[in-house]
Amino acid sequence: MAQYFEVHPEHPQARLLKQAADILHKGGIVALPTDSSYALVCHLDDKSAVDQLRRIRGVDERHHLTLLCRDLSELASYARVDNTQYRLLKLGTPGPYTFILEATKEVPRRVSHPSRRTIGLRVPEHATTQALLEILGQPLLATTLILPGQEEALNDAHDIRVALEKRIQAVVDAGACPMAPTTVIDLTSGTPEVLREGRGELTRLGLA
């Protein structure tokens, strides 16, 4: 049975998030709200957790997983970014944007794209996500909580617990999410390429 942590959406209780962080450190998978939708998250360095994350989602190694970061200070360890890219990242963080970047050697090969050595990175603007990342002191590996055969993410924490109670270790309930996907921008070439237009407005990045 997955543990269930009901937290305040704006002022999440640290004692509950510390319990969720302990579960992640021990290799567990947690359903977590973000500023776009609920996501499945796990420890970046735990191979078995990453494999289980992919199995739950029904995706293979070619599917981009995303690093959820607290802020851009964590960026240099995981992605190679020049000054032009960094200025664009500053405009979009925190917020509902996912940036595809060239991964550094610090990113395990199993979590980057197998042929391109790229990684998705974002800094979510959600109090619960930010608080958990603060407690962990490192990024989390994440994927949108869309189950195989479904087109939309689950958005009710109770439904998530029922659907996945034997496959994940915890659910963090901070209420419903906006239910709009992030805007995805590929920064691995000379010109930013919009791969998906979602909740993040392109005008904020000067790309409209």
Side-chain angles (χ1 to χ4, degrees):
M1 176 76 72
Q3 292 194 52
Y4 194 85
F5 303 110
E6 188 170 357
V7 301
H8 191 281
E10 296 178 7
H11 306 287
Q13 300 91 319
R15 62 179 178 81
L16 297 179
L17 294 184
K18 286 178 181 177
Q19 293 179 57
D22 287 341
I23 289 170
L24 288 162
H25 278 303
K26 293 175 182 176
I29 294 174
V30 174
L32 182 71
T34 75
D35 53 353
S36 59
S37 64
Y38 271 84
L40 293 173
V41 300
C42 71
H43 201 287
L44 172 64
D45 298 321
D46 193 306
K47 182 181 185 302
S48 62
V50 175
D51 290 343
Q52 175 68 354
L53 197 74
R54 291 189 187 277
R55 283 193 293 269
I56 294 171
R57 276 284 272 112
V59 298
D60 59 22
E61 70 276 3
R62 293 184 296 275
H63 180 85
H64 259 120
L65 299 176
T66 300
L67 281 179
L68 297 183
C69 296
R70 186 176 61 228
D71 54 41
L72 291 182
S73 68
E74 296 179 328
L75 179 69
S77 296
Y78 302 99
R80 294 184 176 90
V81 178
D82 62 25
N83 290 335
T84 301
Q85 292 168 326
Y86 188 78
R87 284 194 290 272
L88 197 63
L89 289 166
K90 284 190 70 175
L91 291 173
T93 55
Y97 302 88
T98 299
F99 297 97
I100 307 300
L101 298 160
E102 182 183 356
T104 66
K105 293 181 180 179
E106 294 296 317
V107 178
R109 281 197 170 273
R110 63 180 176 273
V111 303
S112 61
H113 193 281
S115 60
R116 297 180 60 202
R117 281 295 287 163
T118 54
I119 189 74
L121 181 145
R122 81 184 196 92
V123 180
E125 191 172 20
H126 191 285
T128 298
T129 318
Q130 281 285 341
L132 181 57
L133 290 169
E134 179 74 28
I135 290 169
L136 279 166
Q138 65 184 95
L140 281 168
L141 198 64
T143 184
T144 304
L145 208 170
I146 301 174
L147 297 180
Q150 302 296 314
E151 295 184 359
E152 292 189 347
L154 291 177
N155 198 38
D156 182 275
H158 292 280
D159 291 344
I160 293 170
R161 188 185 194 186
V162 170
L164 296 174
E165 62 179 356
K166 294 182 180 179
R167 304 189 71 188
I168 66 175
Q169 285 63 55
V171 177
V172 177
D173 180 2
C177 296
M179 281 295 289
T182 60
T183 292
V184 181
I185 300 167
D186 191 334
L187 297 181
T188 58
S189 63
T191 303
E193 180 184 358
V194 179
L195 302 183
R196 179 181 70 197
E197 191 168 350
R199 187 164 176 251
E201 296 181 359
L202 296 178
T203 51
R204 175 173 166 181
L205 306 180
L207 297 178

